[in-house]
Amino acid sequence: MHTSQDLRQAEAVRLDAVSKIYGRGDSKVAALHGLSLGFADGTFTAVMGPSGSGKSTFLHCAAGLARPTSGRVVVGGTDLSGLDDDQLTKLRRNRIGFIFQAFNLLPALTVMENITLPLQLAGERPDKGLIRNVVQRVGLAERLGHLPSELSGGQQQRVAIARALVTRPAVVFADEPTGALDTRTAGAVLRLLRESVDNARQTLVMVTHDPVAASYADRVVFLADGAFAGELLRPTAEAVAARMTRLGAWQDDNQRQAVAQPSGGRY
Ligand SMILES: Nc1ncnc2c1ncn2[C@@H]1O[C@H](COP(=O)(O)OP(=O)(O)OP(=O)(O)O)[C@@H](O)[C@H]1O
């Protein structure tokens, strides 16, 4: 049987009572209120919630891109609140992978140069075997000399995924990774993310508005008004959409469109 201590050790990321307040005085906004959440090693979690519920703020605090006003964040066993800015930058480079909706590749660098950039920045000698393995997993072996502008959107996102995996990070944070892709390409990217968890025991935390994308996760965590608002294990797109409706999401047209997408489950 696991003790709670064992479970904590098996967490890639832990937030303890994290609050984030923007602004001062009358313009003060509490974007997160005492949020406590853990993300177990080798799991895929989707984070969802209505617009303004604190998803981006959560992602920024959990990934060490912003400092909480109070509370603490632990990544791969390191308490981020104990780090100065240089140490935090180093930890982000070495221990955290990022995947963004807009891919964020460097246009003048080739596929291979983009993939190995985090290693260069960290001053690490590339592990050729690992790079070959990652390149094969994302299916880009034939494209390594191409520029991002010569690739499709789905291929560009696969480069970004390879770049996120190449440092063997403790956790990969993905922010709407399929938001700019058509549904078929989105499905391929989500299957690849799922494989990185199932086959390489990567830990993945993905913020999304899309119930179909969330259905690829092991768990969906819901936020509302900056606080934990429940979770679903082994989610289906329908169950996620129903929970989001109850939380008062889909009040604007964009989000209603997202829920109107395939009702039968996955892409
Ligand atoms: N830099 C900032 N300064 C002031 N308030 C902010 C700032 N960033 C976010 N907020 C406020 O904090 C709250 C949470 O915002 P956040 O962007 O984290 O929500 P979200 O769930 O990601 O929203 P969306 O789904 O619309 O992207 C909102 O009320 C937002 O207006």
Side-chain angles (χ1 to χ4, degrees), residues 107-155:
L109 300 187
T110 65
V111 166
M112 186 55 142
E113 288 164 345
N114 267 287
I115 291 173
T116 53
L117 187 64
L119 299 169
Q120 306 259 351
L121 290 173
E124 276 181 34
R125 182 130 38 99
D127 171 342
K128 289 205 176 114
L130 173 65
I131 292 171
R132 208 175 311 124
N133 177 284
V134 167
V135 162
Q136 264 164 11
R137 265 163 41 209
V138 300
L140 288 166
E142 311 299 315
R143 304 277 174 164
L144 296 178
H146 289 232
L147 294 173
S149 59
E150 298 168 332
L151 303 179
S152 69
Q155 287 167 336

Side-chain angles (χ1 to χ4, degrees), residues 20 22-23 27 29-32 49-58 60 176 207 209 223 226 255:
K20 178 73 181 177
Y22 292 112
S27 62
V29 178
L32 294 178
S51 181
S53 58
K55 300 180 297 295
S56 301
T57 305
F58 152 79
H60 285 105
E176 293 281 2
V207 167
H209 285 107
L223 299 183
Q255 295 193 358

Side-chain angles (χ1 to χ4, degrees), residues 15-35:
L15 283 77
D16 279 322
V18 168
S19 295
K20 178 73 181 177
I21 295 166
Y22 292 112
R24 286 162 195 272
D26 285 349
S27 62
K28 218 156 109 170
V29 178
L32 294 178
H33 310 263
L35 183 65

